[in-house]
Amino acid sequence: SLEDRCNRILRNMEASLTARDRVGIQDFVLLDPYTSESAFLDNLRKRFHENLIYTYIGTLLVSVNPYKDLGIYSKKQMDTYMGVNFFELPPHIYALADNVFRTMLSEFNNHFILISGESGSGKTEASKKILQFYAVSCPSTKLLNNVGDRLLLSNPVLEAFGNAKTLKNDNSSRFGKYMDIQFDYRGEAVGGHILSYLLEKSRVVHQNHGERNFHIFYQLVEGGEEDLLLWLGLERNCKNYRYLVQGDCAKVSSINDKSDWKTVRKALSVIDFSESDTEHLFAIIASVLHLGNLKFEADARGYATVKNYQELHWVSKLLGIPNQVLQQGLTHRKIEAKTEEVLSPFSVEHAVYARDALAKAIYGRTFNWLVNKINESLANQDSSRKMVIGLLDIYGFEQFCINYCNEKLQQLFIQLTLKSEQEEYELEGIEWELVPYFNNKIICDLVEEKFRGIVSLLDEECLRPGEATDLTFLEKMEEKIGGHPHFVMQHSKNAIIKHCFPSSEPDSKKRPETVVTQFKSSLVGLTEILMSKEPWYVRCIKPNEAKQPAKFDDVLVRHQIKYLGLMEHLRVRRAGFAYRRRYEIFLQRYKALCPDTWPNWKGTPEEGVRCLIKHLGYKTDEYKFGRTKIFIRHPRTLFATEDAFQVCKHQLGMLNSVKVIILSITIATRIQAKYKGWRVKEDYLRQKEAATKIENCWRGLMARKERERRAWAVKVIKKFIKGFMTRNQPACIDNSEYLAYVRQNYLTRLKENLPKTVLEMGSWLTPPPILKEVSELLQNIYIRYLVRQFVREITPQRKAQLLLKAQTSSMFKGKKESYPFSVCRPFVDTRIALEDINLKVRQTVQHEHIKYSVPVVKYDRNGFRPRLRQLIFTQEAAYLVEETKIKQRIDYSSLKGTK
C-alpha cells in the first residue's frame, strides 16, 4: 500500500541521513579533523562495532580483524563488486581487487598489492580473499581453471610448511611471500610466480611456551595414513617428538590437523607433485623429527657418541645416507690443513648444536625447493608479454630483519604515494602544495649504510678476532658447525636432499654471508620489483590481543595506527583537497539538485558541474576545476551536498510512485474500455452508459481517497525532513514526532544488541544526541544488573581468586608495563603445592613460613639452555632451588632501593 511504501521510504531516509553519525565515515579522506589521531581512532571504532571492518584512505584499504565470520565473502558479494566504480559501494577488499584488475586491463601495466600489519591482524586471510576473487572473477577456460586451482591450492601447501601457531595467531606466517599473478591481454590468469623471504628456521628446533612448530609436522603425525607412518618410523603421538613439545601445546582447539592434512595431500596432487616427490618430501619431514630425538653421551675421553642408534637408523634410512657417514658428520668436524684432512671430535654440547643446525638447514632448503616446485607448476608457457598483479604479504614477527623490512617498505610507500598524488595534481593542472611528513630515510640509512650501518657492524662482529662473547660464540658455532653437515648431505640418495645440497657448495672458499646481509640483498631486489609496478595497499589492524570479537582495544589500535603510517598517508592524501571525482560521475550523481541539469544536461560534463555548483552556492575557496575532475577542499562541503541529494532522491522516489499509480489506473481504464467496446453490441449501449456512470462515480470516490492519502504522505515526509533538520534544537512542534521516532528506534535496537557481559560494555550502541543522558543512565543501570547477576553466580573459589586479583592490582597497577595483559589470566594454578616441594628443602625453610612458590626457568649464558628451578618466598627470604639443592638465599633485609 501507499502507506507502507511511505513508511519504508521514511526508514530508508532516516538510515541514510543518520548513518554517518552512527557508523562513521567510510573514507578517512573525508574526515574533517583529519590531523586528529583521536578522531581517526573514533571513526575506526564506530565502524568496527557496526561490523564494518573496511575503511578507505583514498585507495588504501584499512582492514580490522573481526575475529568472527561476517558472511561478506560469498560468490554473490564477488558479483556485486565486479566492474563497479571503486567508491560506488561500501569499502571491501573485493572492491580493491576489482579496481586493481580493471586498472591493469585499461592501462596495460603492472601492479602490486602490499598487505601489512602485525601478527594476527588478518594479512594471510586478506591475501586469500584477493586470490579467491581473481580465481572466480577472471575469464576462464579449462587451461585457465587449472592455473586458478593451482594458485589457490599453493596457499594451503605454503601455509602447512611455512605457518605455525604463535601466542598472537594460530596461523601465523613465519616467512615473507611475494606472489605474481600473470594475466594475458584479455584478463585471463595464465601463470604465477612466488618469492619467499626469511623463513624462521629456528622454529624447527625451538618453540616458546604456548607456540608450535610448523603445521606440517603435526599434520603428518595426526593425519598421516597408518602405512605411511609405519614406513616413516613415526608414531601417532606428537608428544613423542622433542621438536614438537617444547611449546607444550601440540593440540590446539582451533586447528584440525587431520582435516588440514587431507587438504595438503589433495593440493600436492593438483600442483603436479609426483608420487616420488611426495614420498621424498615426507621422508625429509619425518627425518627432522627423528633427528630431534637423537641423543648424545660422552665417552671416557669426554667426546660425543650417539646414544640412541634406532633414531640414527631412521634418519639414515629416510635421507638415504650411510649410517657411518651420518654418525661421523654429527660427532666430528673435518679440519683441512694444506693437503691433510683431520677429523676433530665434538663434545656433547657441540654435537647437539650440530644436530639442530642440520635440522634447520634441511628444513630451510627443503622449503626453498618446495617454493621452486610450486613455481614450476605455475609457470606460464607463453613467452609473449604479460601483465602482472603482485601480492606482497609481509609477516609480522618482531625481529630486526622484519623491522628493517617494514621501515624500507614504509619509505617506498611514502615516496610512491607522494609521487602519485603530485602527478595527479600536475595532470589536472592543480597547484601542488608541499606536504610535511616524517622521512624515515634516516632510519633506513642507520641500518643499511655501508661501513657504518647496523648490518655492516654485525658482519664485522662475526669476523672479529679476540676474546669471544656469548654472542660471537654462538655466531661462530653456527658458522663452523651449522655448515658442516651439508658435506654429509652429499651422500644422500633422497632426490630432494641431493638437489638442495649441491656437491659444489663445500668447495667454495668464500665466506658465507650472514642472514641479515642475505636479507638485505633480497630486500633490495624486492624494492626494485615493486618500484617497477603501480602500488595498492591493504593495512591490517588487530583490535585486541585476546582474539575476541566485538572487543576494541584503543591503546593497541592507536599503536598500530602510528607504526603503519596511516596518519602520514592521510595527511598526504588531504594535501589541499579531500575529494576529487571525474566531471561525468559527479554530475550523474548530483544533477537532480539543480533544475538546469535535471533530468538531462545537454552540454559537456564540466559545464554541467559548473552550473550545478553555482546553483548549490559553493564558495570559491572550496573547490577547483581540473582538466577532467572537480577537486573539493573540505569534507563538510561534500557532506552537505550528499545530504541534500538524499532528501531529493526520496522526494523524487515518492513523486515517481504517485505517477506510476496514476499511469496504471489510466492504462487499465483504457484497456477495459477498449475491451468492452469490442464486446458490447449496439443493443447494450444504454446499459454501457449506465455502467460508465457508476464506474465514474466509483473512480471519483477512489481518486478522492487517493488524493487524501497522498496529501497525508506529503505532510508526513515534510514533517520528517523538517524534524531531521531541527533534530539538534530543543524539542518543539517541528521535531517532536521525529524525536519520538528516534527514541523508539534507538531503544528497539539497544534491546536487540545488549552486551552479554560487563567486559563487552564497549559495544554499547552509540546514542543520538537527544538520548545521550538517557543512554548513560541505562548503561549504569545495566552494568549494576550484570554485576549483581555475576555476583549471584560466582563460586567461593572464584571469589577468593578475584580477591587475590584485587590485592595484586593494588601492588602492580600502573607500575608494571605488562600488567594489563595479565589481568585476565588466573595464576593460582601456576603455584607449586607444598607437597610438590622437595622434603629436604621444605624442612630447611619450613620454620620461616613459606608464603609463595612458583616454577621458573633459568637460561645458561653458554648456549641459552633452559634449566628448571623453583622460586620460594618465605616470611624472611627468597630461595632459588634446583631439585633437592638450595642454589641461593636472598635475605629481604639485604635488599636496598628507592620507591
Side-chain angles (χ1 to χ4, degrees):
S1 69
L2 180 63
E3 183 176 344
D4 291 337
R5 191 174 295 138
C6 288
N7 288 333
R8 190 161 58 247
I9 291 172
L10 289 175
R11 285 195 297 272
N12 290 340
M13 286 175 66
E14 191 275 338
S16 61
L17 292 172
T18 61
R20 199 160 57 244
D21 295 332
R22 188 175 71 252
V23 305
I25 296 166
Q26 66 182 25
D27 190 343
F28 281 110
V29 171
L30 300 177
L31 194 65
D32 216 3
Y34 70 92
T35 57
S36 167
E37 194 176 90
S38 297
F40 191 103
L41 184 69
D42 183 57
N43 191 63
L44 207 60
R45 189 193 310 107
K46 280 182 181 179
R47 295 183 63 75
F48 176 75
H49 287 313
E50 294 290 335
N51 289 329
L52 301 172
I53 62 170
Y54 294 120
T55 313
Y56 293 137
I57 307 179
T59 55
L60 179 147
L61 183 69
V62 179
S63 169
V64 184
N65 194 336
Y67 293 122
K68 62 180 178 180
D69 183 13
L70 298 178
I72 58 173
Y73 302 108
S74 63
K75 173 66 167 61
K76 184 178 179 181
Q77 285 287 105
M78 292 185 188
D79 293 338
T80 301
Y81 279 89
M82 279 183 209
V84 177
N85 184 277
F86 187 57
F87 296 101
E88 189 173 325
L89 293 174
H92 201 291
I93 198 159
Y94 291 161
L96 181 98
D98 180 69
N99 205 41
V100 175
F101 179 72
R102 287 189 294 111
T103 305
M104 175 194 72
L105 286 181
S106 61
E107 299 178 0
F108 206 67
N109 57 0
N110 297 328
H111 298 254
F112 76 88
I113 303 172
L114 171 58
I115 305 170
S116 60
E118 72 171 66
S119 182
S121 60
K123 299 183 300 300
T124 301
E125 284 302 310
S127 180
K128 285 184 193 175
K129 300 305 178 193
I130 293 172
L131 272 178
Q132 288 166 0
F133 181 82
Y134 289 143
V136 171
S137 65
C138 297
S140 61
T141 61
K142 184 176 180 181
L143 169 65
L144 302 175
N145 282 336
N146 288 339
V147 172
D149 289 342
R150 290 173 185 175
L151 282 169
L152 287 175
L153 290 174
S154 66
N155 255 327
V157 174
L158 289 174
E159 283 184 16
F161 285 83
N163 288 24
K165 181 205 178 307
T166 66
L167 290 173
K168 295 184 177 182
N169 184 1
D170 289 349
N171 187 32
S172 179
S173 299
R174 312 318 291 164
F175 70 105
K177 181 178 70 174
Y178 175 78
M179 173 185 279
D180 268 341
I181 310 168
Q182 299 165 352
F183 300 88
D184 65 11
Y185 69 95
R186 292 168 296 191
E188 298 172 348
V190 293
H193 188 80
I194 297 169
L195 294 175
S196 65
Y197 298 94
L198 198 68
L199 178 73
E200 188 191 19
K201 292 185 292 185
S202 59
R203 181 169 292 272
V204 175
V205 300
H206 175 75
Q207 308 93 43
N208 293 324
H209 184 77
E211 298 195 350
R212 298 207 313 176
N213 208 322
F214 293 103
H215 293 322
I216 189 62
F217 292 111
Y218 305 93
Q219 292 170 3
L220 174 59
V221 173
E222 293 291 340
E225 299 78 9
E226 292 294 342
D227 292 346
L228 177 63
L229 294 184
L230 189 65
W231 179 68
L232 298 174
L234 297 178
E235 300 174 0
R236 199 179 296 285
N237 188 348
C238 292
K239 293 182 179 180
N240 291 346
Y241 302 100
R242 179 179 171 274
Y243 282 166
L244 302 186
V245 296
Q246 295 175 60
D248 196 25
C249 63
K251 288 188 179 291
V252 182
S253 60
S254 63
I255 299 175
N256 188 334
D257 291 312
K258 290 183 180 179
S259 174
D260 292 342
W261 168 258
K262 292 177 183 177
T263 303
V264 171
R265 285 285 264 174
K266 178 186 175 185
L268 288 173
S269 63
V270 173
I271 305 174
D272 282 349
F273 276 64
S274 66
E275 278 298 319
S276 175
D277 286 336
T278 306
E279 284 181 6
H280 286 143
L281 183 60
F282 294 149
I284 292 171
I285 300 304
S287 75
V288 172
L289 294 179
H290 287 297
L291 201 56
N293 283 0
L294 202 60
K295 297 178 182 177
F296 301 93
E297 61 184 357
D299 62 12
R301 294 173 296 172
Y303 299 144
T305 60
V306 175
K307 187 176 181 180
N308 46 346
Y309 282 93
Q310 182 64 19
E311 297 290 358
L312 186 71
H313 161 74
W314 279 111
V315 178
S316 170
K317 174 190 172 185
L318 294 170
L319 294 181
I321 301 172
N323 206 312
Q324 188 62 34
V325 174
L326 182 62
Q327 180 180 352
Q328 189 181 82
L330 289 169
T331 57
H332 292 75
R333 179 175 65 206
K334 183 169 69 174
I335 301 173
E336 295 183 7
K338 294 184 179 179
T339 58
E340 286 188 287
E341 290 184 353
V342 180
L343 290 177
S344 174
F346 287 150
S347 65
V348 170
E349 190 171 20
H350 287 191
V352 169
Y353 272 110
R355 177 200 67 193
D356 289 348
L358 177 59
K360 289 188 288 185
I362 289 173
Y363 194 85
R365 296 198 180 201
T366 301
F367 183 80
N368 291 338
W369 173 87
L370 182 72
V371 172
N372 291 334
K373 186 71 177 174
I374 292 173
N375 283 336
E376 289 176 15
S377 170
L378 297 176
N380 172 31
Q381 306 302 322
D382 187 354
S383 59
S384 60
R385 186 189 166 192
K386 297 292 178 289
M387 296 172 292
V388 164
I389 293 178
L391 282 177
L392 179 58
D393 177 3
I394 288 297
Y395 61 150
F397 69 87
E398 292 67 33
Q399 66 178 46
F400 173 71
C401 288
I402 290 307
N403 292 336
Y404 165 46
C405 178
N406 282 327
E407 289 293 344
K408 196 72 178 170
L409 291 174
Q410 176 67 9
Q411 183 185 36
L412 178 71
F413 168 63
I414 291 293
Q415 286 174 354
L416 292 177
T417 304
L418 277 172
K419 179 172 173 285
S420 64
E421 282 290 291
Q422 190 168 357
E423 283 177 352
E424 181 174 22
Y425 274 59
E426 290 173 354
L427 192 66
E428 291 292 325
I430 304 292
E431 185 180 350
W432 171 253
E433 300 174 10
L434 289 175
V435 184
Y437 69 95
F438 172 68
N439 188 345
N440 68 338
K441 182 177 184 298
I442 188 172
I443 296 175
C444 295
D445 288 345
L446 175 67
V447 176
E448 63 191 12
E449 189 177 3
K450 283 189 177 180
F451 309 119
R452 295 194 301 172
I454 293 174
V455 173
S456 296
L457 294 176
L458 279 173
D459 287 347
E460 233 176 77
E461 183 66 20
C462 292
L463 293 175
R464 184 180 65 81
E467 185 179 349
T469 64
D470 290 346
L471 184 59
T472 54
F473 171 74
L474 288 175
E475 291 285 355
K476 286 180 180 177
M477 289 295 291
E478 189 72 13
E479 179 183 342
K480 297 292 185 184
I481 300 171
H484 172 68
H486 301 185
F487 178 78
V488 175
M489 291 298 105
Q490 288 177 45
H491 295 80
S492 174
K493 295 178 182 177
N494 185 302
I496 299 176
I497 291 294
K498 289 181 73 173
H499 178 84
C500 292
F501 295 87
S503 58
S504 59
E505 186 172 317
D507 298 331
S508 173
K509 304 298 181 184
K510 183 181 178 183
R511 178 180 66 86
E513 291 180 326
T514 59
V515 171
V516 70
T517 301
Q518 293 174 34
F519 186 66
K520 176 186 171 185
S521 303
S522 299
L523 192 55
V524 169
L526 174 62
T527 305
E528 290 174 356
I529 291 172
L530 299 183
M531 286 295 285
S532 66
K533 296 177 172 63
E534 295 296 319
W536 302 77
Y537 305 97
V538 178
R539 294 292 198 241
C540 299
I541 289 178
K542 178 167 63 174
N544 62 77
E545 291 284 8
K547 295 179 277 192
Q548 293 180 357
K551 184 178 179 182
F552 192 90
D553 185 336
D554 284 16
V555 175
L556 179 65
V557 174
R558 189 185 295 269
H559 172 66
Q560 293 172 84
I561 289 171
K562 285 181 179 176
Y563 81 69
L564 286 172
L566 298 182
M567 295 302 295
E568 299 284 346
H569 186 76
L570 178 56
R571 277 194 285 273
V572 170
R573 284 305 311 260
R574 278 292 299 269
F577 297 91
Y579 174 90
R580 74 282 314 255
R581 281 294 180 275
R582 296 185 66 84
Y583 291 127
E584 52 268 29
I585 295 174
F586 187 85
L587 181 63
Q588 179 63 31
R589 182 166 183 81
Y590 298 118
K591 64 181 180 179
L593 298 177
C594 174
D596 295 332
T597 56
W598 175 260
N600 296 305
W601 173 254
K602 304 298 184 184
T604 65
E606 181 180 353
E607 291 169 346
V609 171
R610 288 181 183 273
C611 178
L612 175 59
I613 66 170
K614 182 179 179 181
H615 176 77
L616 293 174
Y618 281 16
K619 296 177 182 178
T620 53
D621 63 339
E622 291 181 340
Y623 67 92
K624 277 191 179 180
F625 289 107
R627 293 187 176 92
T628 62
K629 298 178 182 178
I630 179 173
F631 288 71
I632 296 177
R633 189 178 298 277
H634 303 298
R636 59 177 178 270
T637 307
L638 180 67
F639 291 154
T641 307
E642 183 65 22
D643 289 344
F645 169 69
Q646 292 297 332
V647 172
C648 180
K649 182 172 72 172
H650 292 297
Q651 287 177 335
L652 288 171
M654 177 56 71
L655 182 61
N656 287 337
S657 298
V658 172
K659 285 182 178 179
V660 168
I661 292 170
I662 294 172
L663 183 63
S664 299
I665 292 172
T666 305
I667 293 172
T669 303
R670 288 179 179 176
I671 292 173
Q672 185 181 23
K674 192 171 184 180
Y675 177 76
K676 285 184 178 180
W678 290 338
R679 303 293 300 170
V680 174
K681 294 182 180 180
E682 190 174 344
D683 55 340
Y684 293 114
L685 284 175
R686 281 179 297 179
Q687 293 179 14
K688 176 188 173 186
E689 184 179 356
T692 302
K693 286 182 180 179
I694 295 171
E695 183 183 359
N696 288 340
C697 290
W698 175 253
R699 271 196 270 151
L701 177 63
M702 295 304 296
R704 285 189 292 275
K705 288 186 176 181
E706 182 66 25
R707 184 183 63 184
E708 290 172 4
R709 281 199 295 268
R710 274 183 266 162
W712 171 83
V714 170
K715 186 178 178 182
V716 170
I717 291 171
K718 282 183 177 178
K719 184 175 284 190
F720 185 90
I721 293 172
K722 204 167 185 180
F724 177 80
M725 294 173 69
T726 59
R727 69 190 185 283
N728 294 326
Q729 297 176 9
C732 61
I733 193 169
D734 289 334
N735 63 13
S736 58
E737 291 188 21
Y738 175 81
L739 296 181
Y741 173 78
V742 169
R743 291 189 194 97
Q744 181 185 0
N745 181 269
Y746 173 72
L747 292 174
T748 303
R749 287 192 299 111
L750 182 62
K751 178 185 174 183
E752 296 169 354
N753 295 278
L754 285 171
K756 300 295 186 294
T757 68
V758 177
L759 297 178
E760 297 176 9
M761 289 304 292
S763 62
W764 186 270
L765 289 181
T766 305
I770 60 163
L771 288 177
K772 192 170 183 180
E773 187 176 346
V774 173
S775 175
E776 290 175 358
L777 289 171
L778 288 174
Q779 197 169 1
N780 291 334
I781 292 170
Y782 190 63
I783 288 174
R784 288 200 295 272
Y785 164 74
L786 289 177
V787 170
R788 283 199 301 272
Q789 191 178 41
F790 176 76
V791 170
R792 288 194 196 103
E793 296 173 358
I794 197 169
T795 63
Q797 293 84 357
R798 178 68 173 156
K799 184 177 180 182
Q801 192 173 67
L802 289 174
L803 289 173
L804 283 175
K805 283 285 182 186
Q807 186 177 354
T808 308
S809 177
S810 65
M811 297 167 60
F812 294 113
K813 188 175 181 182
K815 301 175 184 177
K816 183 179 178 187
E817 185 178 353
S818 61
Y819 173 71
F821 300 106
S822 68
V823 171
C824 60
R825 293 179 58 194
F827 289 105
V828 172
D829 295 337
T830 66
R831 299 181 181 179
I832 301 174
L834 194 62
E835 58 270 18
D836 292 333
I837 300 174
N838 182 268
L839 180 62
K840 181 179 177 183
V841 174
R842 195 166 67 212
Q843 289 173 345
T844 305
V845 303
Q846 187 66 42
H847 67 282
E848 296 183 14
H849 302 295
I850 297 174
K851 295 292 184 182
Y852 182 80
S853 52
V854 67
V856 295
V857 179
K858 172 185 178 291
Y859 290 94
D860 289 355
R861 293 184 180 181
N862 187 0
F864 299 104
R865 294 185 64 187
R867 302 194 183 278
L868 296 177
R869 298 284 189 270
Q870 292 180 344
L871 186 60
I872 301 173
F873 293 98
T874 69
Q875 188 71 32
E876 300 174 10
Y879 291 86
L880 188 64
V881 177
E882 179 185 12
E883 296 181 353
T884 61
K885 183 179 179 183
I886 296 176
K887 301 288 287 186
Q888 192 175 1
R889 181 183 189 276
I890 304 171
D891 200 307
Y892 298 149
S893 61
S894 67
L895 298 175
K896 295 180 180 180
T898 56
K899 187 174 179 182

